[in-house]
Amino acid sequence: MLSDTPAPASASAARPLTAPAAPAARGASAVAHPNIALIKYWGKRDEQLMLPVTDSLSMTLDVFPTTTHVRLDQDAPEDRAALNGEEATGETLRRITAFLDLVRARAGSSVRAVVDTRNTVPTGAGLASSASGFAALATAAAAAYGLRLDAAGLSRLARRGSGSASRSVFSSFALWHAGTGTGEEGDTSSYAEPVPAADSLDAALVIAVVNAGEKAVSSRQAMRRTVETSPLYGPWAASSRDDLADMRSALVRGDLKAVGEIAERNALGMHATMLAARPAVRYLSPATVTVLDRVLKLRQDGVLAYATMDAGPNVKVLCRRADAADVADAVRDAAGTVVTARPGPGAHLLDGGV
């Protein structure tokens, strides 16, 4: 800066359900956190509706929040937006305006808005900045324009801004259903919902930021190229469905070793599909490989530590909370920044935001 039956609302998504029936003249404020996929979303079957090829499963973090305020302006001829105090222009403003157009269409409103977003996630670095950004924008805009949405509806709306934002609506672990078909059927059936995990899982995610800069190849470009040209994409997508079933079972059992093994193989498989694209998409840097080697050494020394990576060079290491400090120490000299995260809250309105 998304099963065919509606999902029940989680506690973290309860506030959006109480959005007023009429537009709030003063606007609304919301906060959302990024999520890291343990079973990856990579590839769309419908780019306009943000419908994925496969289901995905993620952990919402308790770090890097995005806070967004949406204020309706009856006199404004166009939308305005600011990101971390800087006026948004170009593609960033276009995406925000296009998203607000969706909200206005559903609300039967033509009123423009002023959006102020404070994003603590490095943008465009593979750290899910769009997930927290559009989850916060969806929550605030829905309330400001008076939309009454249940949790599944808010997830569907957030999906239209960024696919992974559908999962940041929920706390802890969430499953984004790919859904079926296209058009209205696809839009209705593609949303996220909470998934159960045993309390004994006690997971932490150590984030090794080896490069916080913006990627040379955007996720959207890389995704499209991989789906269209990589001979490995089809087999990976098929194996990802099996990974998802295994992951859900491991979470319910509280089996962190299995969760880590599944997440690591799924992520490395995704990056293999990108390397096989034509031309190849390579996000892994020498520092990335160093961190991966450190993770392997930790396992050889008896520490449960498993790596996952999104579309970028940064590595996230799943481990026990009790081992997080040791894992952070092991990767710190290979990364510019190391942050430890735990399962975090879903998107929600801030008190006094409406």
Side-chain angles (χ1 to χ4, degrees), residues 85-314:
E86 298 289 331
E87 183 181 0
T89 59
E91 179 63 11
T92 299
L93 181 59
R94 186 202 67 78
R95 288 183 69 185
I96 292 171
T97 297
F99 186 82
L100 291 173
D101 285 342
L102 287 172
V103 177
R104 280 187 285 262
R106 297 181 185 191
S109 173
S110 60
V111 178
R112 295 293 170 173
V114 178
V115 177
D116 183 75
T117 293
R118 304 287 168 167
N119 194 0
T120 61
V121 192
T123 301
L127 291 169
S129 60
S130 63
S132 60
F134 277 101
L137 179 59
T139 303
Y145 281 96
L147 292 182
R148 288 189 178 276
L149 298 175
D150 62 10
L154 183 62
S155 180
R156 291 187 189 97
L157 177 62
R159 188 201 77 226
R160 295 294 299 273
S162 171
S164 56
S166 65
R167 301 185 305 243
S168 280
V169 168
F170 300 98
S171 63
S172 299
F173 299 94
L175 166 63
W176 174 17
H177 297 281
T180 57
T182 58
E184 184 176 353
E185 177 190 354
D187 185 39
T188 301
S189 61
S190 184
Y191 60 92
E193 65 179 346
V195 293
D199 292 339
S200 60
L201 190 68
D202 200 30
L205 204 66
V206 175
I207 303 168
V209 184
V210 303
N211 188 340
E214 192 164 350
K215 297 173 292 192
V217 181
S218 72
S219 295
R220 288 191 177 194
Q221 291 173 312
M223 197 177 295
R224 186 180 302 120
R225 187 189 306 173
T226 302
V227 172
E228 292 176 353
T229 71
S230 175
L232 300 183
Y233 182 75
W236 174 80
S239 68
S240 190
R241 297 181 180 95
D242 294 332
D243 287 345
L244 177 66
D246 293 343
M247 178 65 77
R248 296 190 71 174
S249 176
L251 286 172
V252 170
R253 298 196 311 271
D255 187 343
L256 186 63
K257 181 175 184 290
V259 169
E261 289 174 345
I262 299 162
E264 187 170 280
R265 78 192 187 205
N266 188 265
L268 292 176
M270 183 186 78
H271 279 269
T273 69
M274 288 188 268
L275 289 170
R278 299 171 185 180
V281 177
R282 186 175 72 88
Y283 287 124
L284 280 63
S285 69
T288 304
V289 176
T290 297
V291 174
L292 293 176
D293 288 343
R294 300 286 172 81
V295 172
L296 181 58
K297 180 64 165 58
L298 283 165
R299 288 209 296 271
Q300 292 170 344
D301 292 340
V303 177
L304 287 184
Y306 297 89
T308 185
M309 296 165 292
D310 293 311
N314 303 304

Side-chain angles (χ1 to χ4, degrees), residues 10-17 29-34 60-61 66 131-140 154 158 165-172 344-350:
S10 68
S12 61
R15 287 294 306 281
L17 307 190
S29 296
V31 64
H33 291 73
T60 299
L61 309 182
T66 296
S132 60
F134 277 101
L137 179 59
T139 303
L154 183 62
S166 65
R167 301 185 305 243
S168 280
V169 168
F170 300 98
S171 63
S172 299
H348 56 279
L349 290 171
L350 296 177

